[in-house]
Amino acid sequence: MSADTSTRVADTAPLAPARPRTRRGALTWDTAIIAVTLAFLVAASLGVEHFGTARNFGFLVLDLAPIFLLALPMTLIVITGDIDLSVASMVGLTSSAIGVMWEAGMPLETILVLAVVLGAVLGAVNGFFVAVLGLPALAVTIGTLALYRGLAYVLLGEGAVATFPRSFTGWTVGATGWMPNVLPGLLLLAVVFAVVLHATPVGRSIYAIGANVTTAAYSGINVGRTRFLLFVASGAMAGLVGAFWTLRYSSARGDNAFGIELTVVAAVLLGGVSIFGGKGSLPGVLAGVVLLMSLQNALRLGSVSTEALTVVTGLLLIVSVLLPNVLVRIRRMRSPRRPADPVPDPAPHQPAAPAANERN
Amino acid sequence: MSRMHRRTRYFALTAGLALTLSACSGTTQDDATSEAPAEETGAEETSAAAGGGGTEFAEGLAISMLPKSVNNPYFEASSEGAESAVTELAGEYEYTGPSDASASSQVSYINTLSQQAVDAILLSANDPNALCSALSQASDAGTAIVTFDSDVDPECRDLFVSQVEGEEVGRALIEMAAEQIDGDGQVAILSATANATNQNAWIDVIESELESNPDYAGIELVATVYGDDEDEKSFAETQGLLQAHPELEAIISPTTVGIAAAARYLQSSDYQGEVALTGLGTPNQMREFVEDGTVTEFALWDPSALGELAAYAGAALASDMITGAEGDTFTAGELGEYTVGADGVIVLGPPTRFNAENIDDFDF
């Protein structure tokens, strides 16, 4: 994986130099995680009673939907080398806001649109601090993690609003045949994000920023705008998840989605995105989400204790962060003279970036 | 700059348009009451056979207890009672639940249990509404739903096993506090989560007693705070209460996690013996604080008996001995005969007060 960036210099569109991952056919972390996920789903369907049923599929989709949705923009953000830890708090705040607006008698359709708008505004605040003022995303979003959660409690106190109409809540948790009603929406959004990341210039700039932000800026990429818009997208998605969460549990509460930012980041890392940026793929991340959530589902069905469930999930994540690094070390030891991560001189008019220190 | 402006305008336009469109045919709160019931996620329409046919408990029933959160001594005591009842009935018992006391985490566990098609779920709910959809799916799959300790909306369960009459608990709490401060001074409440149905019912009773009962005219309730049944948060909230209200005479904590954390804080501070603490706790948790004078008197029902009664109630439902209708009766082992009251509520009995004289008689 480490040597991905050294290949395919022939891709010499202006943005190509920093585009990292093109070594095709090789076993990379994301193809591995997809294979492991599929193998796990098959094994669990055969080995865990009640796992491979339409009903459980419905439950699983509802359980993984928030993580799945939040992981989409999070993947792009982590690839640029940033992180957004405020997503769960934005979900809680939009959920509170939905409760307040509903109590005030506004039409639910309007409220749901406004939830997404509110999320985008919250994300824009993050984006402003990170992309315009240049503050570290980790610090900014840890701050807004607390701030937004606090505002969520301010809005709704510690109470709940639970009078949402069954036509909405029932649809959200409902299914048509075996197909959960929310599934097509999830898949559509996944396709949109995958296309943006893997098949558009925007996607290439995202990789470029993560691989080497200076090089990206010199290549004519509007780094600030890209980072800003990604945080806006993350906020808008959190608003959407806030709407989903509220309707799924028929309960608008300030503590909704408490703590799930860690699961989202965990799924993104498990899916093969480098926490140092520049590397990763959306199919890998989505496989990571499915693996993480179906593992929990299967362990619960197997009546494994909650403590054991937490331990197993934790171990999986440690492995997913450690293993890629171990593999990189092994590769380095095999070819000691080669620099760890050579990046071809991207643009003749500027000095070659010593990119090795940018990752791992 | 101009590009930014154009985008802003476009954004405002789109948002405005969306608002206008949706406002035309909106669903508002007023419409909600007339809505049709929810569709279920692939739920099998196999409602359990109605009617109190059987007269004996069935053997081999699968009964699971789902507490507000695991690793809570109170629920572990309930679980022991439920387990002994299920063992008595030669059934299969499981104790399972989330590690955090949140409603959304409980939903996944309800789904799992309904998937496993257990015969009865014994649930202490973290939210009266958020669990309803999952519970009705489980119910449709033939699972008997018994809540204990903290109820859900009555439509979403078959029976609620109440520890005591809510009124009696609230009255006992304020009475103990009044006795310990001689009926005069500021009191504060340290509760569990803000949505806990039972805690809120008791707090309502305390508030109305303070308003209406002339014996409590000298007592002023200055704050109600929430420790969310987390030890550290309850500890910190206690500290905050005492700092914010230097005149505070007593803390009432109607939750076992809260009272233990508050007692630990008092014990380690200058307030020990100065500020009274009462509420609901287990004798084993509170023994050391009663012995060293931090706490004079507190109350609780026997959570083990509560779990036992819930298990018998679930088994009676699953065995078709009762339907959960008002007036149904069943025998809960050594606890004796119980009758289902209005709204499917069964009451365990009056609370027990624990103090230096009797605390050593109890072990839970």
Side-chain angles (χ1 to χ4, degrees), chain A residues 53 108-109 173 253 301 306, chain B residues 27 41 97 114-116 127 137:
Chain A
T53 65
L108 192 52
E109 290 85 346
V173 299
R253 299 170 56 137
L301 278 174
T306 307
Chain B
T27 306
T41 307
S114 104
Q115 191 70 4
Q116 291 169 337
D127 184 292
Q137 284 173 22

Side-chain angles (χ1 to χ4, degrees), chain B residues 99-115:
Chain B
S99 48
D100 61 321
S102 95
S104 8
S105 317
Q106 279 187 317
V107 167
S108 299
Y109 284 88
I110 295 170
N111 287 345
T112 301
L113 294 174
S114 104
Q115 191 70 4

